[in-house]
Amino acid sequence: MNYENLYQALQPQEKSIKDSLASLQKLYKTISKETENGDLKNLIKDLNTMLENTAALSEILKEAADTASSFDAASYFESGDFAEQMLAICREKNVDVRGDSPIYEMFPYRVKLDMDNQDIYLDRKKVQCMRPQSFVDLVKSGQDKLNKASFNAQTFAGELADAYDMAVLKLKKQPGSDLYLTSLYKILAPMSRFRKDYDQQSFAFDLSRLYSSGIDETKNGRKFQFGPSRLNNKAIRILDQNGQEVFLATIRFFE
């Protein structure tokens, strides 16, 4: 199955609907003027014409509704056709995607396909979209908007340094030790209600922009260095300035 086939089938019907509505709108303006001017003969004639056009529009709408209803949305999702076409369009539009059905990462978004209800969740927002191309366009538009948003790498580095210092005290580590970025995230967003506004994917996106900025020290001169980890569950996946994936696990600040 492919939604594009339904899309093409609906196009001429949508045009007929548009043309019918335009004709009805034109007739409406005419009968309004006839009513105002007392042109009763033409008013009756045009009202009858409008009634005929309305009946014709009703038939067109019924045909379009039947066409749309003929598409088996449940099978489209359950068969994997939607996911397969979505991934193909991601490759075509250079949208980075990782994961397997029903959960994917389109950095920095988390995408979940709800097979039972044929819905898509973009992070926590439910999106009703049966057309893979439109959904990928939505993701790409959001990514472009995020990438264009202002970001002060120095400020974020300073916030990370403050969180690092708190983590050193809390975890009883030596200054300059490598600490997991996930530990710093818990300090930056200590409560669940804060994590709704600033989830770990948002944190990963800020890390990505900091990593791509090229700076390696805070405003007050403290240097920092990212590090990897053998524990995959501790690593945070980001994309660098060239769109290549990088896994960051730790950070250390030092003089």
Side-chain angles (χ1 to χ4, degrees):
M1 294 180 67
N2 192 325
Y3 182 87
E4 292 305 309
N5 295 331
L6 174 64
Y7 181 77
Q8 293 302 321
L10 285 170
Q11 290 305 292
Q13 293 171 331
E14 285 188 7
K15 185 179 185 307
S16 295
I17 293 170
K18 179 182 177 181
D19 291 344
S20 294
L21 288 172
S23 177
L24 285 170
Q25 181 64 25
K26 185 177 179 180
L27 273 170
Y28 171 74
K29 291 180 179 178
T30 299
I31 64 174
S32 294
K33 186 175 292 185
E34 290 166 347
T35 301
E36 181 181 354
N37 296 337
D39 187 354
L40 188 58
K41 289 182 179 180
N42 283 320
L43 172 61
I44 294 172
K45 178 175 67 71
D46 288 333
L47 282 171
N48 285 323
T49 301
M50 195 172 191
L51 185 62
E52 292 171 3
N53 289 2
T54 302
L57 174 59
S58 180
E59 285 300 314
I60 297 170
L61 289 170
K62 185 178 182 303
E63 290 175 10
D66 289 343
T67 301
S69 298
S70 69
F71 190 80
D72 192 341
S75 294
Y76 190 41
F77 264 64
E78 291 168 2
S79 67
D81 286 344
F82 177 92
E84 181 181 341
Q85 291 157 25
M86 178 187 72
L87 294 176
I89 294 169
C90 283
R91 290 191 292 271
E92 178 186 322
K93 295 182 177 289
N94 294 319
V95 173
D96 178 81
V97 58
R98 293 291 184 275
D100 297 298
S101 183
I103 297 174
Y104 302 90
E105 178 187 324
M106 298 182 187
F107 189 79
Y109 298 117
R110 182 177 183 271
V111 174
K112 179 182 178 182
L113 305 183
D114 182 347
M115 302 299 185
D116 293 333
N117 299 298
Q118 297 86 57
D119 291 324
I120 310 172
Y121 285 86
L122 187 60
D123 290 339
R124 290 182 297 273
K125 182 180 179 182
K126 183 166 71 173
V127 179
Q128 293 180 334
C129 180
M130 201 61 60
R131 190 183 185 198
Q133 180 174 316
S134 293
F135 178 71
V136 175
D137 285 343
L138 175 67
V139 170
K140 186 168 178 56
S141 175
Q143 291 173 331
D144 291 343
K145 184 176 180 181
L146 286 172
N147 284 319
K148 290 177 182 176
S150 61
F151 176 73
N152 190 316
Q154 289 283 359
T155 297
F156 182 63
E159 292 169 347
L160 274 182
D162 292 340
Y164 176 88
D165 292 339
M166 291 180 66
V168 165
L169 294 174
K170 183 178 180 180
L171 300 175
K172 298 180 180 179
K173 298 286 187 179
Q174 291 295 321
S177 299
D178 288 306
L179 299 185
Y180 285 117
L181 287 162
T182 50
S183 298
L184 270 60
Y185 169 69
K186 291 176 182 177
I187 290 175
L188 289 170
M191 303 175 72
S192 60
R193 65 174 180 267
F194 297 145
R195 291 170 195 165
K196 289 182 180 179
D197 295 325
Y198 189 64
D199 59 18
Q200 191 158 310
Q201 284 296 97
S202 298
F203 178 56
F205 186 65
D206 283 343
L207 288 174
S208 174
R209 292 194 287 182
L210 176 61
Y211 184 86
S212 299
S213 72
I215 71 168
D216 60 0
E217 62 180 51
T218 63
K219 285 182 180 179
N220 58 8
R222 291 181 69 186
K223 293 187 176 297
F224 62 88
Q225 183 178 55
F226 291 109
S229 172
R230 294 178 181 177
L231 302 175
N232 290 336
N233 64 331
K234 292 290 187 179
I236 296 176
R237 178 179 178 272
I238 68 166
L239 298 182
D240 65 14
Q241 63 270 31
N242 298 315
Q244 300 300 310
E245 69 177 9
V246 178
F247 291 90
L248 305 178
T250 65
I251 192 170
R252 68 186 186 97
F253 285 84
F254 54 97
E255 300 299 333

